[in-house]
Amino acid sequence: MKGLYFQQSSTDEEITFVFQERENLPVTEDNFVKLQVKACALSQINTKLLAEMKMKKDLFPVGREIAGIVLDGILPLDSEDPGLCEVVRVHEHYLVHKPEKVTWTEAAGSIRDGVRAYTALHYLSHVSPGKSVLIMDGASAFGTIAIQLAHHRGAKVISTACSLEDKQCLERFRPPIARVIDVSNGKVHVAESCLEETGGLGVDIVLDAGVRLYSKDDEPAVKLQLLPHKHDIITLLGVGGHWVTTEENLQLDPPDSHCLFLKGATLAFLNDEVWNLSNVQQGKYLCILKDVMEKLSTGVFRPQLDEPIPLYEAKVSMEAVQKHQGRKKQVVQF
């Protein structure tokens, strides 16, 4: 029985994924179950986080968002089993029931982004009816679920589009997005557009997709074109607002901190792995997983999925995912 693994010894420029023959699964222990995998979604592997967590191995298992017979869930960060395999061994604390109306690919393809959206909107920014939310890169797999969840909570949503195709995708949302800001040509000022949309008050919640930290000479032109500067985010944030960032290397100068202080604003870092790093959070984590599945079943949101791919194409697809290529979620179907 083969599984897909990532060679951590490789550099970022030489990402290597390999199929490796696996030994038979050990005898199931208490609270563990064997799961026949029906679908597994592909997400980028954060090699830097693995190194900081002292989890470096020659081969690291690939595929953690899985759906299978009876149960589905996200494999823990320290799992030795790859989700891209026919059968895996999983502790029951990482599983929730899949509703009958939800397909295998929908379950696997939405569980991770659903957890990220819940973490950002509920636990880090406390979204509520009437709040204004700016979701950067709203046409991404994560952005589409975050938009739908914010709409479900009664929030007013503003989003940015990185291309004409993304802009058209966002304009088809129902209920409609309050404003779609096209940043693809680099001429539109995000802060000005948000302040105009909110009558100068600023937005209550910002979910970024990365920010520009330095001057124009220090970063690639493409990145400059699509990402707002950290000063823009601070400018468009309203009084008492929440800035949820995915920029793990964010640096704030004293004037930036002072501006956030004057606004009484908060800054939070979105790390969806945090739920698996402490058993204290297990109850909340399972509640999120269960609610994601329920909202998927009732049609509150739908994931943006690419066409399912067979297992033998997983290696090539994972290489593309690791390089941030493609917009829709890739799911391997067994």
Side-chain angles (χ1 to χ4, degrees), residues 112-129:
R112 185 186 187 91
D113 289 325
V115 169
R116 294 188 75 210
Y118 258 83
T119 303
L121 291 173
H122 290 274
Y123 290 94
L124 298 181
S125 60
H126 313 291
V127 68
S128 59

Side-chain angles (χ1 to χ4, degrees), residues 11-276:
T11 63
D12 289 340
E13 292 76 21
E14 299 176 351
I15 297 171
T16 306
F17 294 94
V18 296
F19 280 106
Q20 191 85 354
E21 197 69 37
R22 300 178 60 229
E23 298 178 358
N24 292 330
L25 292 178
V27 177
T28 304
E29 304 169 9
D30 289 343
N31 301 321
F32 278 81
V33 298
K34 284 186 178 180
L35 180 68
Q36 182 183 356
V37 180
K38 289 292 186 180
C40 177
L42 305 181
S43 293
Q44 188 184 35
I45 297 173
N46 189 336
T47 54
K48 185 177 180 180
L49 177 63
L50 295 176
E52 291 173 347
M53 295 293 296
K54 311 295 184 185
M55 297 176 64
K56 298 195 73 171
K57 307 175 186 176
D58 291 336
L59 293 173
F60 192 83
V62 174
R64 296 173 50 218
E65 304 129 78
I66 60 174
I69 295 296
V70 181
L71 301 167
D72 84 289
I74 301 179
L75 295 182
L77 191 61
D78 59 354
S79 173
E80 296 182 0
D81 295 329
L84 286 168
C85 190
E86 293 179 358
V87 179
V88 297
R89 190 177 66 109
V90 191
H91 195 284
E92 63 183 5
H93 288 171
Y94 295 102
L95 302 170
V96 291
H97 286 282
K98 179 187 75 66
E100 291 184 9
K101 294 181 180 179
V102 178
T103 67
W104 300 116
T105 54
E106 286 176 337
S110 61
I111 193 74
R112 185 186 187 91
D113 289 325
V115 169
R116 294 188 75 210
Y118 258 83
T119 303
L121 291 173
H122 290 274
Y123 290 94
L124 298 181
S125 60
H126 313 291
V127 68
S128 59
K131 295 285 187 180
S132 57
V133 183
L134 169 63
I135 299 176
M136 309 295 293
D137 194 14
S140 65
F142 165 66
T144 54
I145 288 184
I147 288 172
Q148 293 172 85
L149 188 57
H151 273 154
H152 178 66
R153 290 298 181 185
K156 174 183 178 180
V157 177
I158 304 170
S159 186
T160 60
C162 300
S163 67
L164 177 60
E165 183 180 0
D166 287 354
K167 182 174 182 288
Q168 293 172 343
C169 172
L170 293 173
E171 288 175 342
R172 289 194 295 267
F173 266 82
R174 294 295 180 269
I177 297 172
R179 175 175 291 201
V180 177
I181 305 171
D182 186 359
V183 298
S184 60
N185 56 16
K187 297 179 181 179
V188 177
H189 200 282
V190 176
E192 289 181 0
S193 298
C194 289
L195 290 173
E196 179 182 328
E197 183 64 34
T198 58
L201 297 177
V203 300
D204 299 304
I205 299 170
V206 178
L207 270 62
D208 72 35
V211 294
R212 196 166 80 237
L213 303 177
Y214 311 109
S215 63
K216 292 185 177 181
D217 298 331
D218 298 329
E219 293 187 276
V222 174
K223 186 175 182 180
L224 280 174
Q225 185 175 325
L226 300 180
L227 295 181
H229 197 282
K230 59 181 178 179
H231 298 146
D232 295 331
I233 301 293
I234 295 172
T235 299
L236 63 84
L237 197 62
V239 173
H242 302 278
W243 176 11
V244 181
T245 183
T246 58
E247 184 60 62
E248 58 187 50
N249 296 316
L250 181 66
Q251 298 177 16
L252 295 180
D253 299 319
D256 301 329
S257 299
H258 185 64
C259 187
L260 290 173
F261 167 76
L262 291 177
K263 293 186 176 187
T266 62
L267 171 64
F269 291 87
L270 178 56
N271 175 14
D272 49 296
E273 300 293 355
V274 72
W275 299 108
N276 286 321

